[in-house]
Amino acid sequence: MGHWGVKSYENDDAADALDAGFDRVHGPLYEELMDDRNPMTVDQIQQRLANPETLAAAIEGLGESIGLPFEEWDEVERLAFAGVVVRHAELGVPIPDDWRDRAIGWLEDEAIDWEEATKRRLRREREITLLTKMAGT
């Protein structure tokens, strides 16, 4: 797994799933916005386009790429799932209870060794808190 930060979605699998989800739902508009000539940042583009459909499409694409039932996913695949859910939660998209609960559980049980373990632990705690608060809304 290639990862470049401590957020759950800052890894190749989550990034690929997010990209696929936005592309599946928004197609040409997403491609146009992602053009290098567009001054918008990726964060701004995702904020503009994120919705329940992009979440579902990203999770579906991730599942297709893994090709196994959830119960058989490894730690890296679970992190990608949590990353897709967390990213959409950060963007204000409502998260279905079962996906939110699965992401929380997988984040709580995360067994991946991180180079920046303290930063990751703090970030993981913030992600769990975000998802937990969503359960009360």
Side-chain angles (χ1 to χ4, degrees):
M1 167 188 70
H3 61 269
W4 55 88
V6 295
K7 297 175 183 174
S8 291
Y9 51 87
E10 292 178 329
N11 65 72
D12 293 341
D13 293 339
D16 289 347
L18 287 164
D19 187 55
F22 284 104
D23 188 51
R24 285 181 181 194
V25 173
H26 297 290
L29 173 61
Y30 179 64
E31 289 179 32
E32 178 184 328
L33 292 173
M34 290 298 288
D35 187 281
D36 289 339
R37 294 171 294 212
N38 182 1
M40 293 175 72
T41 66
V42 172
D43 286 344
Q44 291 170 324
I45 294 166
Q46 289 181 348
Q47 182 67 55
R48 177 175 170 187
L49 299 178
N51 60 38
E53 291 78 25
T54 61
L55 171 60
I59 296 296
E60 181 181 322
L62 181 62
E64 289 170 1
S65 72
I66 294 169
L68 297 169
F70 283 134
E71 298 76 25
E72 296 180 33
W73 288 18
D74 66 22
E75 293 87 10
V76 172
E77 295 158 345
R78 290 175 179 200
L79 177 64
F81 176 91
V84 169
V85 170
V86 165
R87 183 62 182 145
H88 276 80
E90 288 180 351
L91 296 168
V93 175
I95 308 297
D97 293 345
D98 58 333
W99 287 353
R100 185 197 60 245
D101 294 345
R102 176 172 280 129
I104 290 170
W106 284 352
L107 287 169
E108 290 174 339
D109 295 338
E110 186 179 283
I112 298 171
D113 290 326
W114 290 79
E115 190 172 309
E116 298 184 63
T118 300
K119 286 183 180 179
R120 174 58 189 156
R121 179 182 53 78
L122 294 171
R123 174 60 191 192
R124 184 174 54 246
E125 289 172 4
R126 282 195 300 273
E127 292 175 353
I128 291 169
T129 298
L130 169 68
L131 295 174
T132 302
K133 284 182 180 178
M134 292 185 85
T137 58

